[in-house]
PDB file of all heavy atoms in Angstrom:
ATOM      1  N   ASP A  53      20.248 -44.927 -82.674  1.00 97.00           N
ATOM      2  CA  ASP A  53      20.694 -45.945 -83.625  1.00 97.00           C
ATOM      3  C   ASP A  53      19.984 -47.279 -83.362  1.00 97.00           C
ATOM      4  O   ASP A  53      19.740 -48.035 -84.314  1.00 97.00           O
ATOM      5  CB  ASP A  53      22.216 -46.164 -83.460  1.00 97.00           C
ATOM      6  CG  ASP A  53      23.005 -44.940 -83.828  1.00 97.00           C
ATOM      7  OD1 ASP A  53      22.988 -44.552 -84.993  1.00 97.00           O
ATOM      8  OD2 ASP A  53      23.659 -44.350 -82.923  1.00 97.00           O
ATOM      9  N   VAL A  54      19.678 -47.585 -82.111  1.00 98.00           N
ATOM     10  CA  VAL A  54      19.058 -48.878 -81.769  1.00 98.00           C
ATOM     11  C   VAL A  54      17.930 -48.635 -80.779  1.00 98.00           C
ATOM     12  O   VAL A  54      18.116 -47.869 -79.809  1.00 98.00           O
ATOM     13  CB  VAL A  54      20.081 -49.848 -81.125  1.00 98.00           C
ATOM     14  CG1 VAL A  54      19.421 -51.197 -80.841  1.00 98.00           C
ATOM     15  CG2 VAL A  54      21.295 -50.023 -81.999  1.00 98.00           C
ATOM     16  N   ILE A  55      16.790 -49.257 -81.014  1.00 98.00           N
ATOM     17  CA  ILE A  55      15.701 -49.245 -80.028  1.00 98.00           C
ATOM     18  C   ILE A  55      15.473 -50.692 -79.584  1.00 98.00           C
ATOM     19  O   ILE A  55      15.114 -51.559 -80.366  1.00 98.00           O
ATOM     20  CB  ILE A  55      14.392 -48.677 -80.627  1.00 98.00           C
ATOM     21  CG1 ILE A  55      14.613 -47.259 -81.119  1.00 98.00           C
ATOM     22  CG2 ILE A  55      13.281 -48.705 -79.586  1.00 98.00           C
ATOM     23  CD1 ILE A  55      13.369 -46.614 -81.722  1.00 98.00           C
ATOM     24  N   SER A  56      15.705 -50.930 -78.312  1.00 97.00           N
ATOM     25  CA  SER A  56      15.522 -52.271 -77.716  1.00 97.00           C
ATOM     26  C   SER A  56      14.198 -52.261 -76.969  1.00 97.00           C
ATOM     27  O   SER A  56      13.979 -51.428 -76.080  1.00 97.00           O
ATOM     28  CB  SER A  56      16.665 -52.585 -76.755  1.00 97.00           C
ATOM     29  OG  SER A  56      16.406 -53.781 -76.038  1.00 97.00           O
ATOM     30  N   THR A  57      13.293 -53.154 -77.333  1.00 97.00           N
ATOM     31  CA  THR A  57      11.938 -53.099 -76.768  1.00 97.00           C
ATOM     32  C   THR A  57      11.526 -54.435 -76.128  1.00 97.00           C
ATOM     33  O   THR A  57      11.980 -55.501 -76.507  1.00 97.00           O
ATOM     34  CB  THR A  57      10.931 -52.763 -77.860  1.00 97.00           C
ATOM     35  OG1 THR A  57      10.879 -53.833 -78.825  1.00 97.00           O
ATOM     36  CG2 THR A  57      11.283 -51.470 -78.563  1.00 97.00           C
ATOM     37  N   VAL A  58      10.658 -54.289 -75.144  1.00 95.00           N
ATOM     38  CA  VAL A  58      10.104 -55.446 -74.415  1.00 95.00           C
ATOM     39  C   VAL A  58       8.602 -55.253 -74.242  1.00 95.00           C
ATOM     40  O   VAL A  58       8.177 -54.145 -73.856  1.00 95.00           O
ATOM     41  CB  VAL A  58      10.766 -55.595 -73.040  1.00 95.00           C
ATOM     42  CG1 VAL A  58      10.208 -56.815 -72.316  1.00 95.00           C
ATOM     43  CG2 VAL A  58      12.270 -55.705 -73.138  1.00 95.00           C
ATOM     44  N   SER A  59       7.819 -56.257 -74.553  1.00 92.00           N
ATOM     45  CA  SER A  59       6.387 -56.295 -74.220  1.00 92.00           C
ATOM     46  C   SER A  59       5.671 -55.041 -74.695  1.00 92.00           C
ATOM     47  O   SER A  59       5.648 -54.735 -75.872  1.00 92.00           O
ATOM     48  CB  SER A  59       6.238 -56.516 -72.724  1.00 92.00           C
ATOM     49  OG  SER A  59       4.931 -56.903 -72.388  1.00 92.00           O
ATOM     50  N   GLY A  60       5.069 -54.272 -73.762  1.00 93.00           N
ATOM     51  CA  GLY A  60       4.356 -53.076 -74.137  1.00 93.00           C
ATOM     52  C   GLY A  60       5.235 -52.066 -74.854  1.00 93.00           C
ATOM     53  O   GLY A  60       4.773 -51.328 -75.729  1.00 93.00           O
ATOM     54  N   GLY A  61       6.525 -52.062 -74.521  1.00 96.00           N
ATOM     55  CA  GLY A  61       7.470 -51.199 -75.238  1.00 96.00           C
ATOM     56  C   GLY A  61       7.620 -51.577 -76.675  1.00 96.00           C
ATOM     57  O   GLY A  61       7.886 -50.715 -77.548  1.00 96.00           O
ATOM     58  N   SER A  62       7.438 -52.856 -76.990  1.00 97.00           N
ATOM     59  CA  SER A  62       7.518 -53.319 -78.367  1.00 97.00           C
ATOM     60  C   SER A  62       6.372 -52.788 -79.214  1.00 97.00           C
ATOM     61  O   SER A  62       6.533 -52.570 -80.419  1.00 97.00           O
ATOM     62  CB  SER A  62       7.569 -54.844 -78.427  1.00 97.00           C
ATOM     63  OG  SER A  62       8.717 -55.355 -77.776  1.00 97.00           O
ATOM     64  N   ILE A  63       5.207 -52.616 -78.596  1.00 97.00           N
ATOM     65  CA  ILE A  63       4.069 -52.058 -79.338  1.00 97.00           C
ATOM     66  C   ILE A  63       4.409 -50.664 -79.850  1.00 97.00           C
ATOM     67  O   ILE A  63       4.267 -50.356 -81.032  1.00 97.00           O
ATOM     68  CB  ILE A  63       2.805 -51.985 -78.421  1.00 97.00           C
ATOM     69  CG1 ILE A  63       2.353 -53.389 -78.005  1.00 97.00           C
ATOM     70  CG2 ILE A  63       1.679 -51.263 -79.115  1.00 97.00           C
ATOM     71  CD1 ILE A  63       1.239 -53.395 -76.984  1.00 97.00           C
ATOM     72  N   THR A  64       4.912 -49.812 -78.955  1.00 98.00           N
ATOM     73  CA  THR A  64       5.258 -48.452 -79.350  1.00 98.00           C
ATOM     74  C   THR A  64       6.497 -48.401 -80.221  1.00 98.00           C
ATOM     75  O   THR A  64       6.520 -47.679 -81.233  1.00 98.00           O
ATOM     76  CB  THR A  64       5.490 -47.584 -78.075  1.00 98.00           C
ATOM     77  OG1 THR A  64       4.251 -47.495 -77.350  1.00 98.00           O
ATOM     78  CG2 THR A  64       5.931 -46.180 -78.463  1.00 98.00           C
ATOM     79  N   GLY A  65       7.528 -49.173 -79.879  1.00 98.00           N
ATOM     80  CA  GLY A  65       8.766 -49.148 -80.642  1.00 98.00           C
ATOM     81  C   GLY A  65       8.567 -49.557 -82.081  1.00 98.00           C
ATOM     82  O   GLY A  65       9.048 -48.941 -83.014  1.00 98.00           O
ATOM     83  N   ALA A  66       7.829 -50.651 -82.279  1.00 98.00           N
ATOM     84  CA  ALA A  66       7.576 -51.147 -83.624  1.00 98.00           C
ATOM     85  C   ALA A  66       6.705 -50.191 -84.431  1.00 98.00           C
ATOM     86  O   ALA A  66       6.944 -49.932 -85.619  1.00 98.00           O
ATOM     87  CB  ALA A  66       6.937 -52.539 -83.596  1.00 98.00           C
ATOM     88  N   TYR A  67       5.683 -49.641 -83.762  1.00 98.00           N
ATOM     89  CA  TYR A  67       4.779 -48.719 -84.472  1.00 98.00           C
ATOM     90  C   TYR A  67       5.520 -47.428 -84.858  1.00 98.00           C
ATOM     91  O   TYR A  67       5.289 -46.873 -85.917  1.00 98.00           O
ATOM     92  CB  TYR A  67       3.563 -48.405 -83.620  1.00 98.00           C
ATOM     93  CG  TYR A  67       2.418 -47.832 -84.398  1.00 98.00           C
ATOM     94  CD1 TYR A  67       1.762 -48.608 -85.375  1.00 98.00           C
ATOM     95  CD2 TYR A  67       1.978 -46.527 -84.195  1.00 98.00           C
ATOM     96  CE1 TYR A  67       0.712 -48.086 -86.117  1.00 98.00           C
ATOM     97  CE2 TYR A  67       0.931 -46.002 -84.929  1.00 98.00           C
ATOM     98  CZ  TYR A  67       0.307 -46.787 -85.890  1.00 98.00           C
ATOM     99  OH  TYR A  67      -0.722 -46.257 -86.647  1.00 98.00           O
ATOM    100  N   TYR A  68       6.394 -46.975 -83.982  1.00 98.00           N
ATOM    101  CA  TYR A  68       7.191 -45.778 -84.297  1.00 98.00           C
ATOM    102  C   TYR A  68       8.109 -46.032 -85.491  1.00 98.00           C
ATOM    103  O   TYR A  68       8.171 -45.198 -86.411  1.00 98.00           O
ATOM    104  CB  TYR A  68       8.041 -45.333 -83.097  1.00 98.00           C
ATOM    105  CG  TYR A  68       9.114 -44.348 -83.492  1.00 98.00           C
ATOM    106  CD1 TYR A  68       8.781 -43.030 -83.859  1.00 98.00           C
ATOM    107  CD2 TYR A  68      10.442 -44.725 -83.539  1.00 98.00           C
ATOM    108  CE1 TYR A  68       9.756 -42.143 -84.277  1.00 98.00           C
ATOM    109  CE2 TYR A  68      11.438 -43.828 -83.965  1.00 98.00           C
ATOM    110  CZ  TYR A  68      11.067 -42.542 -84.319  1.00 98.00           C
ATOM    111  OH  TYR A  68      12.046 -41.655 -84.734  1.00 98.00           O
TER     112      TYR A  68
END
Side-chain angles (χ1 to χ4, degrees):
D53 297 294
V54 183
I55 301 180
S56 172
T57 66
V58 181
S59 195
S62 296
I63 295 174
T64 297
Y67 198 66
Y68 165 71

